[in-house]
Amino acid sequence: MNQPILEADIVIIGGGVTGAAIARELSRYRLRTVLVERGGELSAGQTKVSLGNIYTGLNLVGSMILKSVLLPPGTPLTELYHPHTLHTKWCEEGFKEWESVLGELDIKHRHVPLTIAAKDEDQMKNLEKIRDLGRQLGGLYADFEQIGREKILAREPNVNPEVVTALYAERHVIDIFPPEVAVALAENAVENGCKILLNAEVIGISQSGPDQIVQTVRGPIKTNFIINAACGWGDKICDMAGGGRDWGLQYRKTVMIILDTRCRGFVNGMVRWPNVPGRLDLVQRREDNILIECGTYDPTNRPDDTYTIREDVVKSMTVAKTLIPSISEKDIINTFTGVRVFNTRDVEDHIVEFLPTNKRFLNVIIRLPGIIGALPMARHVAGRLEGAGCRLFKKDDFRPYRKAIPRFRDLSDEMRNRLIGNDPRNGHVVCRCETVTEGEIVEANRRGATTEEGIRMRTRAGMGRCKGGFCGPRVVKILARELKIPVTEVKKRSVDSRLLLCRSKELLLRNEKGIA
């Protein structure tokens, strides 16, 4: 039996922050836009496991030195700055734009101070490289001060007391939660007419007369233009459309560690040792937790090589304790590995171009940091589409604003009582670690979260010390009720990740009845 064909003007492949930003930008126009994502939730790939900062200035200078591991040895420091690349231009433009857009989309965020410290001769030499490059570049890149031990400890009392000097910047880093950014962009796109299909892995792309057919596991989509924002799987999607690319993808991974909320006062912002090529060592205060990323950017040949091994965690914690001696392995509540994607043609830039063999298939291959430049990137993509014949007519009723799900734990008693009066489920705390209510979970489901991970990324239920040990079964029960499915059908993160294989004693009963 043939599946009905969904029709669109533009199909975006990939539901990370890149695809979501493009979807929101295109929702400004009278277009039928469909975003397809292979996972069971948005931001299921690189976006979910990114460091999660919008940054500029001093931190971007450090990032230049870190990424120089991908360049020929001995590359002069001034060659690390490429002002005419899309990557650099979008980072510089994007940082200025995000503050207002974060407000429009009601995304929780805060500026955090940055301290790059040094305690020995080698670190001071590396610190000088960052300082000198920043001063050479000028402007915001030079907007920092060099401070001594006394000021360092006054601002970060728990840092290693052996520190000698540091570079300090007050407002170069905006802390955000990456999945929330992708979800907020996508929700606003949906409010303005965009359609999103989850669990819709693309398995083929073909031509049908003047149209293109994007074949997904959920059925075909007939479209005019296709945007490839599939990140680590972008090469495979490109080949489905006819190939002819002169680039490949390379991957680097690094482990990250989350500490318990009791540690949140250990640092006031981001504290790091000076960057060296291929290595990042930092401890950062997040919303309630401490995030640690201390280690090398190790090459891997798979975009989904996200497993975490004990040896990497031990090494990372060892380095982290040289920064903040008071942290402990006992405070670890989660570890994960992020895989970063770079193209092989120009590791210092993005690729945004139409396929030579298909002038209506646009590759959008973004190297990190992708979140910072996502807004100007999306406008650039719209411009490329218009230049290729896609007619862009602005909507008169585009709505740029989106309201986040009210966070019960952040509200005043007056607001809490008002919410409970409207719906008693808002007074039923399901996740005690993060104070998440049943009302928040139901609202997250209403907005599109159909998996345990989707609920967690949108509400923080299950992100506390017990990692869902207390609230997990309750979240599953609520999801099953709202989705009108058995609890055994609730998924962890995608269609092939069942949380519960059977009910209690079901295997024993099957065995007694001789059922396989």
Side-chain angles (χ1 to χ4, degrees), residues 293-486:
E293 185 174 6
C294 293
T296 52
Y297 268 34
D298 298 324
T300 179
N301 57 6
R302 289 173 34 218
D304 57 350
D305 183 11
T306 55
Y307 67 89
T308 302
I309 60 175
R310 184 177 185 277
E311 289 78 2
D312 289 341
V313 175
V314 171
K315 290 178 184 177
S316 185
M317 284 297 293
T318 300
V319 174
K321 285 193 281 189
T322 67
L323 263 170
I324 310 295
S326 51
I327 63 177
S328 166
E329 289 83 357
K330 295 179 181 179
D331 293 313
I332 297 175
I333 62 171
N334 200 11
T335 62
F336 57 94
T337 296
V339 177
R340 318 305 181 205
V341 181
F342 301 86
N343 74 78
T344 57
R345 190 176 75 191
D346 184 355
V347 296
E348 282 301 303
D349 208 0
H350 312 303
I351 291 177
V352 183
E353 63 189 23
F354 286 97
L355 195 60
T357 56
N358 184 344
K359 298 300 184 180
R360 290 177 296 137
F361 181 93
L362 183 63
N363 285 308
V364 183
I365 309 301
I366 302 299
R367 60 147 287 176
L368 83 159
I371 297 177
I372 308 172
L375 302 176
M377 175 276 300
R379 287 197 305 274
H380 180 84
V381 166
R384 293 299 303 269
L385 291 171
E386 187 172 33
C390 181
R391 304 180 69 182
L392 301 183
F393 298 104
K394 283 200 171 183
K395 295 175 179 174
D396 295 329
D397 58 349
F398 172 77
R399 301 179 301 278
Y401 301 101
R402 165 261 189 192
K403 289 298 294 181
I405 299 172
R407 297 189 181 190
F408 190 79
R409 65 177 187 164
D410 295 338
L411 301 177
S412 65
D413 287 344
E414 180 183 355
M415 285 300 300
R416 289 177 176 180
N417 289 331
R418 189 179 302 172
L419 280 177
I420 294 170
N422 292 335
D423 185 342
R425 292 177 297 187
N426 289 315
H428 174 210
V429 175
V430 174
C431 174
R432 296 188 295 187
C433 296
E434 298 290 331
T435 318
V436 179
T437 69
E438 181 181 356
E440 292 172 74
I441 295 169
V442 170
E443 177 62 15
N445 169 249
R446 188 190 69 80
R447 296 187 184 205
T450 61
T451 65
E452 184 274 337
E453 186 169 279
I455 295 295
R456 179 154 40 94
M457 292 297 143
R458 293 171 187 248
T459 68
R460 295 184 64 89
M463 293 181 71
R465 179 83 198 192
C466 79
K467 304 311 299 174
F470 174 80
C471 68
R474 291 161 177 81
V475 170
V476 169
K477 187 175 180 180
I478 294 169
L479 263 179
R481 182 192 71 205
E482 296 301 311
L483 296 172
K484 297 180 174 56
I485 59 176

Side-chain angles (χ1 to χ4, degrees), residues 190-212:
V190 169
E191 290 171 347
N192 286 287
C194 178
K195 185 177 181 62
I196 293 178
L197 298 180
L198 300 176
N199 293 307
E201 182 178 0
V202 174
I203 54 178
I205 297 172
S206 60
Q207 301 290 323
S208 177
D211 301 309
Q212 302 188 82

Side-chain angles (χ1 to χ4, degrees), residues 62-267:
S63 181
M64 293 174 196
I65 291 176
L66 166 69
K67 307 305 185 312
S68 67
V69 69
L70 298 166
L71 300 176
T75 301
L77 286 180
T78 51
E79 292 298 311
L80 300 177
Y81 178 65
H82 305 274
H84 303 299
T85 61
L86 295 174
H87 171 261
T88 299
K89 288 191 292 186
W90 291 348
C91 280
E92 292 176 346
E93 293 173 19
F95 185 84
K96 298 174 184 177
E97 294 180 49
W98 266 114
E99 189 76 50
S100 62
V101 174
L102 291 171
E104 287 178 353
L105 299 179
D106 198 17
I107 298 172
K108 195 168 185 177
H109 64 283
R110 69 186 186 98
H111 286 268
V112 296
L114 167 65
T115 304
I116 306 179
K119 65 178 177 61
D120 56 42
E121 187 174 345
D122 287 341
Q123 288 181 346
M124 283 190 277
K125 288 180 180 178
N126 291 324
L127 192 73
E128 289 172 3
K129 292 179 182 178
I130 298 174
R131 181 197 63 195
D132 294 346
L133 179 57
R135 288 175 176 173
Q136 288 177 48
L137 298 180
L140 195 59
Y141 295 106
D143 181 24
F144 58 81
E145 62 176 319
Q146 186 160 5
I147 58 178
R149 180 176 178 274
E150 186 175 334
K151 281 190 175 181
I152 298 171
L153 294 176
R155 291 166 177 172
E156 293 288 357
N158 294 303
V159 78
N160 190 321
E162 296 178 9
V163 293
V164 177
T165 185
L167 303 179
Y168 180 84
E170 189 68 38
R171 296 180 64 83
H172 287 194
V173 180
I174 302 175
D175 176 43
I176 48 91
F177 183 48
E180 183 181 6
V181 173
V183 167
L185 289 164
E187 285 185 353
N188 189 230
V190 169
E191 290 171 347
N192 286 287
C194 178
K195 185 177 181 62
I196 293 178
L197 298 180
L198 300 176
N199 293 307
E201 182 178 0
V202 174
I203 54 178
I205 297 172
S206 60
Q207 301 290 323
S208 177
D211 301 309
Q212 302 188 82
I213 305 297
V214 178
Q215 186 66 52
T216 77
V217 295
R218 292 186 57 182
I221 308 171
K222 183 169 71 173
T223 185
N224 190 6
F225 288 90
I226 300 172
I227 298 173
N228 175 18
C231 194
W233 287 266
D235 53 350
K236 295 177 177 59
I237 296 297
C238 179
D239 291 343
M240 290 181 189
R245 56 187 170 89
D246 62 351
W247 50 268
L249 297 179
Q250 54 182 311
Y251 315 101
R252 300 239 166 197
K253 65 176 186 174
T254 184
V255 67
M256 300 186 194
I257 300 169
I258 302 292
L259 302 186
D260 189 16
T261 54
R262 84 166 193 87
C263 305
R264 60 188 171 190
F266 285 7
V267 291

Side-chain angles (χ1 to χ4, degrees), residues 12 14-25 35 42 181-183 185-186 189:
I12 303 167
V17 72
T18 297
I22 295 171
R24 181 184 188 245
E25 181 63 27
L35 183 152
L42 297 166
V181 173
V183 167
L185 289 164

